[in-house]
Amino acid sequence: MISTVTFLLVYSTASDVARNVLGENATEEQVAAKTSELGLDRPLVTQYFDWLTHALQGDFGVSWFTSEPVAQMVSNRMPVTLSMVILAVAFTAVISAVLGVTAAVRGGAIDRVLQFVSIIGFSLPNFWVALMLVIVFALTLRLFPATGYVPFEQDPSAWALSLVLPVTALVIGGIASAAQQIRGAFIDVLEHDYIRTLEARGISRRSVLLRHVLRNAAPPALTVLSLQFIGLLGGAVVIERIFAIPGLGTLTVNSSIQGDIPAIMGIVVAMVIVVVIVNLIIDLANGWINPKARLQ
């Protein structure tokens, strides 16, 4: 369904692709020949089923501009984007869980401060945060590189340094949102009668929180983190452009500008597969944490 919609959307704007490939100085005859070579003069339904047939066999075609196999382009850039997003989700999960649980359990001034900081953090656009981080920590203090990416296998320490600012730009908004969601989930569980009953029986507050509140609040918190992952995957497009990181986001922007439709379709399919895998992992984790979820 997603591939069909995406195909219709991108191919509806494919009228000038042949000229983009050949350049502005190409003649009408050359453009017509290139259009025929790319198969763009065939009926749209025929083009879609041709693409779908090859895609189901793992063949996503070649880039119209670089002649590089799309599957190879995506597989080369996927680890770059995933490493950045997975790190961002991991930091978001840990920091937002600490903040959210602390605010829910302690309440009072800590809760009000968290809500105030969350509103500010959530209202800051990722690109603005990224630019401020570059100006302060890269250009002024010179603690981290302003742009570029170093593969982990080439130099682990340089890899970590190259991801500090991009990951920080991604997690600030995510922490603000996730901390509020986790706080709400914990407060919702804490207000149940069985929690008060457990505490009235003399069970320690620590035991109630770890064995009962955490187990029941974890599923909605995991769902929030899965949504954060999907959101960060989309936000990586902007962050990769700002920090000149050669990931899927940069490839998506370049392919969209050029009208490289095979590359766009390959990226969309890869993104959908990643999202499905993440949702599957979250469902399995929910079932492991809360046995009631397995019955549902």
Side-chain angles (χ1 to χ4, degrees), residues 166-245:
V167 169
T168 304
L170 280 174
V171 302
I172 287 180
I175 290 173
S177 174
Q180 285 287 358
Q181 298 289 339
I182 293 173
R183 168 189 170 275
F186 265 73
I187 290 176
D188 183 57
V189 177
L190 285 170
E191 290 177 346
H192 279 77
D193 291 336
Y194 73 90
I195 297 297
R196 286 190 285 271
T197 302
L198 291 171
E199 292 179 335
R201 289 180 178 176
I203 299 176
S204 68
R205 180 76 167 173
R206 181 187 180 87
S207 178
V208 170
L209 289 175
L210 293 178
R211 297 183 60 184
H212 300 280
V213 179
L214 182 61
R215 171 172 292 184
N216 288 286
L222 287 174
T223 302
V224 169
L225 289 177
S226 72
L227 295 175
Q228 287 285 331
F229 182 93
I230 297 171
L232 292 175
L233 207 57
V237 174
V238 177
I239 298 302
E240 286 183 6
R241 290 290 290 180
I242 292 175
F243 290 97
I245 295 176

Side-chain angles (χ1 to χ4, degrees), residues 11-13 29 45 77 81 113 117 119 127-128 134 143 164 173 178 211 221 228 276 278-281 284 288 293:
Y11 269 79
S12 64
T13 60
E29 291 75 15
V45 175
R77 291 162 176 80
T81 298
V113 170
V117 173
I119 292 172
F127 70 89
W128 184 84
V134 168
L143 295 176
V164 169
R211 297 183 60 184
Q228 287 285 331
V276 170
V278 169
N279 285 327
L280 178 61
I281 293 173
L284 293 174
W288 177 69

